Structures are given as structure tokens and as C-alpha cells.
Amino acid sequence: MNKNKIFKIIAAVGILVVLFVYIKYFTSNTAFDKEEVYVEIPTDSKYDEVQRIISPYIKNMSDFEFIAQLRSYPENVKPGRFLLKKGMSAFQLVSAMRRNVPVKLAFNNQERLENLCERISAQIEPDTTKLLATFRDSLFLQKNGFTKENVFAMFLPNTYEFYWNVSAEKFRDKMLEEYNRFWTKERMAKAADLNMTPVQVITLASIVHKETVKKSERPTVAGVYLNRLKDGMKLQADPTVIYALKLRDNNFEQVIKRVLYNDLFIASPYNTYQNEGLPPGPIAMPDIDAIDAVLNAEKHNYLYFCASVERFGYHEFAATMAQHDVNAKKYADWLNAQGTKR
């Protein structure tokens, strides 16, 4: 056999080998129909755990394992959240398992810290118990001037970017950083003018937030409560009673549309019909608009307000008890006509 034939045979074999390797390791090796899926690898996971987690998404695991070994992945497993795209090859899949993709973590409208922890734990690795314990750590609270009842004020509703495997402590510290950034010199000065701390502002804002969804009247509602505080009156805010009822029943899923007369006497530090001043902490997570409504409250002489039966979603304001009684009777009569018992 001459040299040309030998060369051609070797070349042909080489091409076949290259083609085999390409087909086996550089063509699609995914087993899912969606365009993309995310897999989450817990902290301290070993390679066998990674194999178990990703196996439902891999068509040929042996091909993945060959490339993984070739690229030293088993000795360098990374925790986090990883994006797998439909049609990825074994080589691309191993590369993808090295790129931790951040989470767009969002929360708002939470009623208490426990609910917030549930919401957060659904988006990052630390579970509810770990998060709650970290947020209520006594040393952290003491160092930063919070209590177990008011640390909820530290969390500002927004969308944040975190790695899925962020620790509870790093998440907490980032929230504190965002809280301190929010309280600019201008906002601090406005709070000082009200003779209030940032936590007190947020606590009052949580009541304002619950009283009305109408952003245009929130400064008016805030003004009512500030007038009451200034005059030494009790806040007598229905949302605080509702919060006290839910707290007593340990049921924040219940819907309470109407506060009854007997409810006003519930023994709770959150019941502002029985206690003077602000409750010990926020009764909800106020949005930024509600916080700024307190800091920029409308100046007026109103001391009372009641839900309007003529402009649904809004309120009727009054400077005297006599006028308020008229407004309140209209609303009570409307509730009775609707058959609203609770």
C-alpha cells in the first residue's frame, strides 16, 4: 500500500473520530421541552448530588460526565442557580454549571416578618426558620437599634438582585444597607421635624398604607394621625385592631372587612383604641409612597375620617366629632344594607 493511500485512510479515520466526538459531546444533550430551565445546587453539595439534581434534564448522562471529568468539574462544584438552555451540548452544560445566575428577588405587601421570610425563602436558599432567626438575632437588633417587634421596618419593598445561595446574614446586611441608603439626610430631617424616628415613621406609614390604597389621599390620612398624636389623642386606627385580631388568632389569611364594637377592646399592644401612641412596630410593609406620605403629610385640622359611600375607595374627613358621626353612620348603614357582618 502506497503512502498516499495510507494517508487517505488515516485522514478518513481522523475525520470520523472528530465527527464522532463532535456529535457525542458538542450537539444537543438536553432532555426538556422548555426553552430554558434553572437548577439550584445547595451549598456544600458534592458531585453526586449535582448528578441527581440535573439528571432529569440531561439526555445522555455519561456524555456529560465525560466532559465534566475532562474539565475537572467534580472537584470544583459550585453552589447556586444555573441556567440550562434547550439544545445545550455536554460541553455547554458543564460550562453553564460554572455560571451562577443572580435572582431578581422581589417582595411587597407583606403583613409581618414571618410572611416576609416565607416569601424570601421561596426565592433564595436560606429557609424561613434560618431567615427569621437571623433577622431577630439579639446582637444585630441591639447594634442597629431595632427590636423583635419593629425590625420588620428595615425591609423596603422593591426588587433586588442576589445570588440564590446568598447566606441569611449577607441578605440581612444588604437589607440594612438599603434601609440606611433610603434614609437620606432629607428624609431624616423630615422625620426629625415630626419628632419621629425612621422606625416610627414606617410604623405610622404601615397604618396609612392599610387605611387607603389611594395615593392621592395618603398625605391627608397621615395628617389626621399626626394631628391626633400632637393633640395627645389615641390613634384609634381600625387596621391596628384587625392586625391584633389576626395576631391573636395566629391567622393572617382571614379577611376582616368590618371592625365590630367588641373588637375595640381586644387586649393587644397593637390595639390603638386601647393604647396611646404608635403600636410597637409596623402592622404591614408600607410602600415607599406611604412612607413619603407621612414625611410630607398634608397640614389641615382634620381629626377624623371614614370610608365614603359616595366615592368608593376614598374617605370623608372631618374636623369635629359631630361631623364624623354623620359620616360614620352613613358608612355603617351602607355596610348593614350590604349584609356585611365581618
Side-chain angles (χ1 to χ4, degrees):
M1 184 179 295
N2 62 40
K3 291 182 179 180
N4 286 338
K5 287 186 177 180
I6 293 175
F7 176 78
K8 288 180 181 179
I9 292 172
I10 293 174
V13 171
I15 292 172
L16 289 175
V17 170
V18 170
L19 185 61
F20 172 79
V21 171
Y22 177 80
I23 293 173
K24 192 168 181 61
Y25 303 120
F26 293 92
T27 58
S28 176
N29 192 27
T30 55
F32 50 89
D33 295 326
K34 295 181 179 179
E35 288 302 313
E36 55 186 43
V37 297
Y38 287 95
V39 295
E40 295 161 352
I41 306 301
T43 300
D44 296 327
S45 291
K46 303 301 182 184
Y47 181 55
D48 58 349
E49 178 67 5
V50 174
Q51 290 175 299
R52 184 190 65 79
I53 293 171
I54 69 172
S55 60
Y57 310 107
I58 306 298
K59 182 166 59 177
N60 189 320
M61 199 64 185
S62 64
D63 289 353
F64 175 88
E65 291 176 356
F66 177 82
I67 297 296
Q69 294 288 346
L70 193 65
R71 301 183 65 189
S72 302
Y73 175 74
E75 299 82 36
N76 297 282
V77 168
K78 295 180 179 294
R81 176 174 178 258
F82 304 93
L83 174 62
L84 308 183
K85 295 183 178 181
K86 183 179 179 180
M88 277 185 165
S89 65
F91 187 90
Q92 290 172 320
L93 287 167
V94 173
S95 296
M97 295 303 296
R98 296 182 186 275
R99 294 192 293 267
N100 195 358
V101 180
V103 174
K104 295 290 186 181
L105 187 151
F107 55 79
N108 61 2
N109 294 329
Q110 305 300 307
E111 285 196 285
R112 56 178 182 160
L113 190 59
E114 289 85 347
N115 301 118
L116 175 63
C117 288
E118 291 177 3
R119 172 67 177 154
I120 295 171
S121 67
Q123 300 176 76
I124 58 176
E125 183 177 14
D127 62 22
T128 300
T129 301
K130 176 64 175 176
L131 289 167
L132 195 58
T134 302
F135 300 156
R136 287 179 171 168
D137 175 71
S138 58
L139 292 178
F140 172 81
L141 296 176
Q142 183 178 8
K143 178 181 178 181
N144 295 286
F146 293 114
T147 66
K148 290 182 179 180
E149 291 75 26
N150 67 29
V151 69
F152 189 42
M154 185 179 74
F155 300 91
L156 300 169
N158 208 334
T159 299
Y160 304 92
E161 186 170 279
F162 286 96
Y163 285 113
W164 175 81
N165 55 309
V166 64
S167 69
E169 291 79 9
K170 286 186 177 180
F171 176 83
R172 178 198 63 193
D173 293 345
K174 177 64 175 177
M175 290 295 96
L176 177 62
E177 182 183 323
E178 293 292 334
Y179 172 83
N180 289 332
R181 183 180 293 114
F182 174 81
W183 284 100
T184 60
K185 290 183 178 180
E186 181 183 3
R187 285 192 171 106
M188 289 294 289
K190 289 181 178 180
D193 287 342
L194 298 173
N195 197 30
M196 300 176 79
T197 66
V199 168
Q200 289 173 327
V201 169
I202 290 177
T203 298
L204 182 55
S206 71
I207 299 174
V208 173
H209 179 99
K210 281 292 187 179
E211 286 285 14
T212 178
V213 298
K214 302 298 183 182
K215 294 183 178 181
S216 61
E217 72 169 15
R218 281 179 171 174
T220 311
V221 172
V224 170
Y225 285 129
L226 289 172
N227 285 344
R228 289 184 182 181
L229 289 172
K230 183 179 179 180
D231 290 354
M233 295 175 60
K234 292 177 180 176
L235 292 183
Q236 295 187 329
D238 285 2
T240 67
V241 176
I242 293 173
Y243 184 89
L245 291 169
K246 291 181 175 182
L247 191 63
R248 179 197 65 187
D249 299 340
N250 193 29
N251 179 8
F252 279 78
E253 299 299 321
Q254 61 180 309
V255 177
I256 301 176
K257 295 182 178 180
R258 185 174 189 177
V259 173
L260 306 178
Y261 178 73
N262 287 339
D263 296 335
L264 305 182
F265 299 96
I266 181 174
S268 170
Y270 289 92
N271 182 1
T272 57
Y273 276 85
Q274 296 298 313
N275 304 291
E276 295 181 357
L278 294 165
I283 61 167
M285 178 182 288
D287 57 30
I288 304 303
D289 179 82
I291 298 172
D292 284 338
V294 173
L295 293 174
N296 301 281
E298 182 180 320
K299 297 185 183 302
H300 52 60
N301 64 344
Y302 297 136
L303 290 171
Y304 310 95
F305 64 94
C306 178
S308 175
V309 297
E310 297 172 354
R311 299 178 304 132
F312 290 105
Y314 289 89
H315 293 80
E316 302 295 343
F317 295 87
T320 66
M321 177 62 80
Q323 182 58 54
H324 175 64
D325 287 342
V326 173
N327 295 335
K329 186 178 185 306
K330 286 182 181 179
Y331 182 62
D333 290 344
W334 181 83
L335 285 176
N336 291 333
Q338 302 302 309
T340 303
K341 303 297 183 181
R342 172 50 104 186

Short mmCIF file of all heavy atoms in Angstrom, two decimals, residues 63-86:
data_model
loop_
_atom_site.label_atom_id
_atom_site.label_comp_id
_atom_site.label_asym_id
_atom_site.label_seq_id
_atom_site.Cartn_x
_atom_site.Cartn_y
_atom_site.Cartn_z
N ASP A 63 -22.21 11.16 28.66
CA ASP A 63 -21.53 12.19 27.88
C ASP A 63 -21.23 13.42 28.75
O ASP A 63 -20.15 14.00 28.66
CB ASP A 63 -22.38 12.60 26.68
CG ASP A 63 -22.43 11.51 25.61
OD1 ASP A 63 -21.70 10.52 25.77
OD2 ASP A 63 -23.22 11.65 24.67
N PHE A 64 -22.21 13.81 29.57
CA PHE A 64 -21.99 14.94 30.48
C PHE A 64 -20.85 14.63 31.44
O PHE A 64 -19.96 15.47 31.67
CB PHE A 64 -23.27 15.26 31.26
CG PHE A 64 -23.09 16.32 32.31
CD1 PHE A 64 -23.25 17.66 32.00
CD2 PHE A 64 -22.74 15.99 33.62
CE1 PHE A 64 -23.06 18.65 32.96
CE2 PHE A 64 -22.56 16.97 34.59
CZ PHE A 64 -22.72 18.31 34.26
N GLU A 65 -20.85 13.42 32.00
CA GLU A 65 -19.83 13.03 32.98
C GLU A 65 -18.44 13.00 32.35
O GLU A 65 -17.45 13.38 33.01
CB GLU A 65 -20.17 11.67 33.57
CG GLU A 65 -21.41 11.71 34.47
CD GLU A 65 -21.81 10.34 34.98
OE1 GLU A 65 -21.16 9.35 34.57
OE2 GLU A 65 -22.75 10.26 35.78
N PHE A 66 -18.34 12.59 31.10
CA PHE A 66 -17.04 12.54 30.44
C PHE A 66 -16.45 13.95 30.34
O PHE A 66 -15.28 14.18 30.67
CB PHE A 66 -17.17 11.94 29.05
CG PHE A 66 -15.88 11.91 28.27
CD1 PHE A 66 -14.94 10.91 28.48
CD2 PHE A 66 -15.60 12.91 27.34
CE1 PHE A 66 -13.74 10.90 27.78
CE2 PHE A 66 -14.40 12.91 26.64
CZ PHE A 66 -13.48 11.90 26.86
N ILE A 67 -17.27 14.91 29.89
CA ILE A 67 -16.80 16.29 29.76
C ILE A 67 -16.54 16.89 31.14
O ILE A 67 -15.57 17.63 31.33
CB ILE A 67 -17.82 17.15 28.99
CG1 ILE A 67 -17.98 16.62 27.55
CG2 ILE A 67 -17.42 18.61 28.98
CD1 ILE A 67 -16.73 16.73 26.72
N ALA A 68 -17.41 16.57 32.11
CA ALA A 68 -17.23 17.09 33.47
C ALA A 68 -15.88 16.65 34.04
O ALA A 68 -15.15 17.44 34.64
CB ALA A 68 -18.38 16.62 34.36
N GLN A 69 -15.56 15.36 33.84
CA GLN A 69 -14.27 14.85 34.33
C GLN A 69 -13.11 15.51 33.58
O GLN A 69 -12.09 15.87 34.18
CB GLN A 69 -14.21 13.33 34.14
CG GLN A 69 -15.20 12.54 35.00
CD GLN A 69 -14.82 12.50 36.46
OE1 GLN A 69 -13.69 12.85 36.83
NE2 GLN A 69 -15.74 12.07 37.31
N LEU A 70 -13.29 15.66 32.28
CA LEU A 70 -12.24 16.25 31.45
C LEU A 70 -11.94 17.68 31.88
O LEU A 70 -10.78 18.13 31.82
CB LEU A 70 -12.67 16.21 29.99
CG LEU A 70 -11.61 16.48 28.93
CD1 LEU A 70 -10.55 15.39 28.94
CD2 LEU A 70 -12.27 16.58 27.54
N ARG A 71 -12.98 18.40 32.38
CA ARG A 71 -12.82 19.80 32.74
C ARG A 71 -12.74 20.01 34.26
O ARG A 71 -12.92 21.12 34.74
CB ARG A 71 -13.97 20.61 32.14
CG ARG A 71 -14.06 20.51 30.61
CD ARG A 71 -15.15 21.38 30.06
NE ARG A 71 -14.85 22.79 30.29
CZ ARG A 71 -15.73 23.77 30.06
NH1 ARG A 71 -16.94 23.48 29.59
NH2 ARG A 71 -15.41 25.03 30.30
N SER A 72 -12.52 18.91 35.00
CA SER A 72 -12.32 18.96 36.46
C SER A 72 -13.50 19.56 37.21
O SER A 72 -13.32 20.19 38.25
CB SER A 72 -11.05 19.77 36.79
OG SER A 72 -9.92 19.20 36.16
N TYR A 73 -14.71 19.36 36.69
CA TYR A 73 -15.88 19.90 37.38
C TYR A 73 -16.19 19.18 38.69
O TYR A 73 -16.54 19.84 39.69
CB TYR A 73 -17.10 19.87 36.46
CG TYR A 73 -18.37 20.30 37.16
CD1 TYR A 73 -18.61 21.63 37.47
CD2 TYR A 73 -19.33 19.36 37.54
CE1 TYR A 73 -19.75 22.02 38.13
CE2 TYR A 73 -20.48 19.73 38.20
CZ TYR A 73 -20.70 21.07 38.50
OH TYR A 73 -21.83 21.45 39.16
N PRO A 74 -16.07 17.83 38.77
CA PRO A 74 -16.42 17.14 40.02
C PRO A 74 -15.66 17.64 41.23
O PRO A 74 -16.17 17.60 42.36
CB PRO A 74 -16.08 15.67 39.71
CG PRO A 74 -16.25 15.55 38.24
CD PRO A 74 -15.74 16.87 37.71
N GLU A 75 -14.44 18.14 41.03
CA GLU A 75 -13.64 18.67 42.15
C GLU A 75 -13.91 20.15 42.40
O GLU A 75 -13.41 20.71 43.38
CB GLU A 75 -12.14 18.50 41.85
CG GLU A 75 -11.67 17.06 41.67
CD GLU A 75 -11.94 16.54 40.27
OE1 GLU A 75 -11.82 17.34 39.31
OE2 GLU A 75 -12.27 15.35 40.13
N ASN A 76 -14.71 20.75 41.53
CA ASN A 76 -14.95 22.20 41.64
C ASN A 76 -16.43 22.54 41.51
O ASN A 76 -16.82 23.48 40.81
CB ASN A 76 -14.15 22.94 40.56
CG ASN A 76 -12.65 22.77 40.72
OD1 ASN A 76 -12.04 23.41 41.56
ND2 ASN A 76 -12.06 21.89 39.91
N VAL A 77 -17.27 21.78 42.19
CA VAL A 77 -18.71 22.03 42.17
C VAL A 77 -19.01 23.38 42.81
O VAL A 77 -18.46 23.72 43.87
CB VAL A 77 -19.47 20.91 42.92
CG1 VAL A 77 -20.91 21.30 43.17
CG2 VAL A 77 -19.39 19.62 42.13
N LYS A 78 -19.86 24.16 42.18
CA LYS A 78 -20.25 25.47 42.70
C LYS A 78 -21.73 25.45 43.11
O LYS A 78 -22.56 24.95 42.36
CB LYS A 78 -20.04 26.56 41.64
CG LYS A 78 -18.59 26.79 41.25
CD LYS A 78 -18.49 27.87 40.21
CE LYS A 78 -17.03 28.13 39.82
NZ LYS A 78 -16.26 28.69 40.95
N PRO A 79 -22.05 26.00 44.28
CA PRO A 79 -23.46 26.12 44.66
C PRO A 79 -24.07 27.32 43.94
O PRO A 79 -23.36 28.23 43.51
CB PRO A 79 -23.39 26.36 46.17
CG PRO A 79 -22.09 27.09 46.35
CD PRO A 79 -21.14 26.51 45.33
N GLY A 80 -25.37 27.32 43.80
CA GLY A 80 -26.04 28.46 43.19
C GLY A 80 -27.18 28.06 42.27
O GLY A 80 -27.68 26.94 42.31
N ARG A 81 -27.56 29.00 41.44
CA ARG A 81 -28.67 28.84 40.50
C ARG A 81 -28.09 28.93 39.09
O ARG A 81 -27.41 29.89 38.74
CB ARG A 81 -29.68 29.96 40.74
CG ARG A 81 -30.87 30.03 39.80
CD ARG A 81 -31.79 31.12 40.33
NE ARG A 81 -32.97 31.34 39.51
CZ ARG A 81 -33.10 32.35 38.64
NH1 ARG A 81 -32.10 33.22 38.49
NH2 ARG A 81 -34.20 32.50 37.94
N PHE A 82 -28.38 27.89 38.29
CA PHE A 82 -27.72 27.78 36.99
C PHE A 82 -28.75 27.62 35.88
O PHE A 82 -29.75 26.91 36.04
CB PHE A 82 -26.75 26.60 37.00
CG PHE A 82 -25.72 26.71 38.11
CD1 PHE A 82 -25.94 26.11 39.33
CD2 PHE A 82 -24.57 27.45 37.92
CE1 PHE A 82 -25.02 26.22 40.37
CE2 PHE A 82 -23.64 27.58 38.94
CZ PHE A 82 -23.86 26.97 40.17
N LEU A 83 -28.49 28.29 34.77
CA LEU A 83 -29.40 28.31 33.64
C LEU A 83 -28.99 27.29 32.59
O LEU A 83 -27.88 27.33 32.06
CB LEU A 83 -29.42 29.70 33.02
CG LEU A 83 -30.21 29.87 31.72
CD1 LEU A 83 -31.69 29.56 31.95
CD2 LEU A 83 -30.03 31.29 31.17
N LEU A 84 -29.92 26.36 32.30
CA LEU A 84 -29.72 25.38 31.23
C LEU A 84 -30.67 25.74 30.09
O LEU A 84 -31.87 25.91 30.31
CB LEU A 84 -30.00 23.97 31.73
CG LEU A 84 -29.27 23.51 33.00
CD1 LEU A 84 -29.61 22.06 33.32
CD2 LEU A 84 -27.77 23.71 32.87
N LYS A 85 -30.12 25.83 28.89
CA LYS A 85 -30.94 26.17 27.73
C LYS A 85 -31.15 24.95 26.84
O LYS A 85 -30.25 24.11 26.71
CB LYS A 85 -30.28 27.30 26.93
CG LYS A 85 -30.20 28.61 27.68
CD LYS A 85 -29.60 29.72 26.82
CE LYS A 85 -29.56 31.04 27.56
NZ LYS A 85 -29.00 32.13 26.71
N LYS A 86 -32.33 24.88 26.27
CA LYS A 86 -32.67 23.78 25.38
C LYS A 86 -31.65 23.67 24.25
O LYS A 86 -31.30 24.67 23.62
CB LYS A 86 -34.07 23.99 24.80
CG LYS A 86 -34.56 22.87 23.91
CD LYS A 86 -35.97 23.17 23.40
CE LYS A 86 -36.47 22.07 22.48
NZ LYS A 86 -37.83 22.36 21.98
#
